[in-house]
Each structure stands twice: as structure tokens, then as C-alpha cells.
Amino acid sequence: MTNTVIFALFGDEEQTQVISSALHYEIGQITIHQFPDNESLLTFHTDIKNKDVIFLAYLDRPDPKIIQLLFAVETAKSLGAKKITLIAPYLPYMRQDKIFHQGEGISSIYFATVISRYVDRLITIDPHLHRWSSLADIYTIPTYVLHAADAIAGWIVKTLVNPVLLGPDKESGQWVKDIAQKIGSPYVVVNKERFGDQQVKNTIPEIAAFKNYYFVLIDDIISSAATMIETVEHLKQQDIQNIACVAIHAIFADDAYSKLSLTGVDPIITCNTIKHITNKIDVTDVIVAALMQIQR
Ligand code: R5P
């Protein structure tokens, strides 16, 4: 057993178990009591004095979780924890990376500032790096950015014949190109304009040459699913029958999943960075490998 305790704080118990077994970490127990007024009280049931602490936290729908995360960190420090590592497989607030409208702020900076003040290091998977070129632009702690590309490439090769990858917007180009190179398949990237949370418009480039291919739409995040739905509809209008949707982070806000399913697209596949019924690509190994590397 190492001197490290891992807690599934808004994280998947099963994933915590896999990480703990692979690296001989102790699994810690923490409970969160919610008072009638919704204030939170956290209690550690595991001795963490002089131990390194890891919190595995799925930070989709982050706002109510953040205060509990900060309390967990403060409580751990008061109980004598040494280094505190946050594993947030999905890193929220990365998309507000500029002032889009007058009067707004840049919440990716504010969020990074808070997290950097509290934890000693951050491990995450494919954060939405668009206008920020690296997490170091906004985080002041050591950050470790892991990638789901190998796992996604492996899934495509194992499951689909004759794929062409399609990025539903410019930002997705980075993931699509990387995965396409890994599996040696062609790819196209679509131009997207966003008019609101749920309104997007796509311009699809010429795809006639790929009529007999399996279209694999790849994006980092599915939130309202508007981006995926718009792209699927365009492909269907062009008589494309074989379409798969693959994303890293399965936010699926409100009824986004059923809306996307209603287009008839099948399969819809995501990685287990946020718990969802579509999690078919396991990225736990990527986290384990990174932790091994870091603790060397
Ligand atoms: C944004 O640029 C991201 O890469 C995704 O395309 C976006 O977050 C998807 O959002 P939605 O599902 O709401 O269209």
C-alpha cells in the first residue's frame, strides 16, 4: 500500500476501484451531509494525516459540486493531508474562454484561479483548449492533460468498417485530425456558427466522395447535442445512412440524449469521463498510466 488515499468524490466508485487496485492506493470514505437548507457538511471516515490525497471528481454540472469540492480540500488539509490531487476527467468552464458579449467575464480564468488556489495538481482528459493553447495559460498549479484519442481510435478500428471522420466544428478539428491519423482514415471538418445555447448552423463541405463510408462524427463535448443533431440532419439530407456519434465528454443536458437518439443516429458513444449510458470507451487506463508516470 502506498501513502496515497483516493476518494470517489463525485467520481465513479468502479473507476476509483480500478485506479486503486492498479496503483495500490487506499480507497477513502467521505460522506456529504446536506442540511435542510442545502448547506453541506463533509466528513472524512479515513485517516489522511500525512498522506497524499486524490479526489476523483466528475465535474459536469459543476456549480453545486464546486463548494463541496473546496470544502473537501480544506477539510483534508485541516486533517493533515499532504499533497492534494484533483482528477477531473471532464474539466468544466473551459468554453467561456473569451468575452463573447459586452458585460461578460472570462469564467475559464476565474474557475482556474479558484482551483489553483486549492489543489496542488490537476489531472484532466482533453479539456476544451480552443483559445487557450494550454492549461498553463490559466492554471498556476501543475496540470496534466491526458488524451482519449488512442482509446477512441481503438474503438473505431474494432467496431466500424471504412470510416470517414467528421468534426462538426472547427474546434473539433484537433481531435478529429489526431484520431484520423492514428487509424489512417480520411476526415473532414465542418464550419459551425452558433446563435444561442441550442441554435447552431453548419456548412458541410463536399462529401460526395465518401458516400459509401461510415461517417463518424467526433466532438469533445455533447451538451445540448445541437451541434451533433444539426450535423446528422445535414448528412441525412445527403442520403448518408451510416452515421455514428462519438464524443469524449457526455454532458447531455436535459433531454439532449433523447433528442439526438430521435434522429436515428446509431451508435452514440462516449468516454467514461462523465457517467452516462453511452460510456463505451474506457479511459481509466489513461488515468492510471499518468498517475504511474507522475509518481515516479
Ligand atoms: C464547442 O465548441 C464544443 O467543441 C462542442 O461542439 C460543443 O460544446 C457542443 O455543444 P452542444 O452539444 O450544446 O451543441
Side-chain angles (χ1 to χ4, degrees):
M1 195 68 75
T2 61
N3 201 33
T4 303
V5 189
I6 182 166
F7 291 87
L9 179 75
F10 333 121
D12 184 42
E13 306 271 343
E14 210 180 301
Q15 197 172 42
T16 308
Q17 182 68 59
V18 175
I19 297 171
S20 131
S21 308
L23 296 161
H24 309 291
Y25 294 160
E26 183 182 353
I27 295 186
Q29 301 302 328
I30 187 171
T31 50
I32 304 179
H33 173 72
Q34 201 109 43
F35 291 107
D37 59 1
N38 276 343
E39 290 184 1
S40 307
L41 174 69
L42 283 84
T43 309
F44 283 77
H45 303 281
T46 306
D47 180 20
I48 50 173
K49 196 170 166 60
N50 292 325
K51 294 185 184 167
D52 288 334
V53 163
I54 299 178
F55 292 116
L56 175 67
Y58 286 10
L59 292 183
D60 56 301
R61 296 151 181 89
D63 291 5
K65 294 176 181 170
I66 295 310
I67 192 77
Q68 295 176 346
L69 169 65
L70 302 186
F71 285 3
V73 171
E74 285 294 14
T75 311
K77 286 180 185 164
S78 76
L79 292 169
K82 289 200 309 191
K83 190 168 269 193
I84 301 202
T85 302
L86 170 64
I87 304 178
Y90 166 66
L91 189 62
Y93 280 111
M94 289 300 291
R95 285 175 293 172
Q96 184 73 20
D97 56 2
K98 75 165 199 175
I99 294 171
F100 292 92
H101 306 102
Q102 199 189 343
E104 293 175 351
I106 306 181
S107 19
S108 51
I109 297 180
Y110 313 147
F111 186 74
T113 306
V114 172
I115 295 298
S116 299
R117 249 186 233 147
Y118 278 79
V119 307
D120 297 307
R121 58 188 181 189
L122 167 71
I123 299 174
T124 189
I125 301 181
D126 290 306
H128 188 82
L129 289 169
H130 178 201
R131 291 174 187 89
W132 302 121
S133 59
S134 109
L135 288 185
D137 292 346
I138 47 176
Y139 282 79
T140 53
I141 48 173
T143 53
Y144 301 87
V145 170
L146 319 181
H147 299 285
D150 282 331
I152 295 175
W155 180 86
I156 295 173
V157 166
K158 213 172 55 197
T159 323
L160 305 174
V161 177
N162 207 21
V164 54
L165 310 193
L166 189 145
D169 57 21
K170 242 184 17 230
E171 294 101 292
S172 64
Q174 55 183 300
W175 290 282
V176 169
K177 184 172 169 207
D178 187 20
I179 297 166
Q181 278 169 353
K182 285 181 195 294
I183 63 177
S185 69
Y187 70 94
V188 268
V189 175
V190 165
N191 205 34
K192 174 176 92 179
E193 273 182 279
R194 186 178 279 281
F195 302 99
D197 289 346
Q198 314 243 3
Q199 288 90 39
V200 297
K201 193 171 173 335
N202 277 349
T203 321
I204 306 238
E206 185 52 54
I207 51 166
F210 300 115
K211 270 258 155 30
N212 298 319
Y213 280 67
Y214 209 117
F215 275 76
V216 189
L217 278 48
I218 298 184
D219 207 350
D220 58 335
I221 298 169
I222 301 179
S223 179
S224 70
T227 303
M228 286 294 193
I229 292 170
E230 164 82 358
T231 315
V232 169
E233 296 301 352
H234 271 285
L235 293 179
K236 283 171 58 187
Q237 277 161 20
Q238 298 195 39
D239 223 19
I240 304 289
Q241 303 299 334
N242 294 325
I243 310 171
C245 280
V246 177
I248 302 166
H249 307 296
I251 296 182
F252 288 113
D254 304 322
D255 55 351
Y257 178 58
S258 42
K259 282 195 200 146
L260 182 56
S261 303
L262 278 176
T263 63
V265 66
D266 182 34
I268 302 169
I269 299 293
T270 62
C271 303
N272 55 345
T273 60
I274 294 172
K275 211 169 173 59
H276 193 262
I277 188 176
T278 54
N279 290 168
K280 292 284 179 328
I281 300 175
D282 188 0
V283 289
T284 315
D285 285 357
V286 181
I287 298 174
V288 168
L291 286 164
M292 258 177 200
Q293 188 74 30
I294 291 165
Q295 70 193 19
R296 248 186 222 146

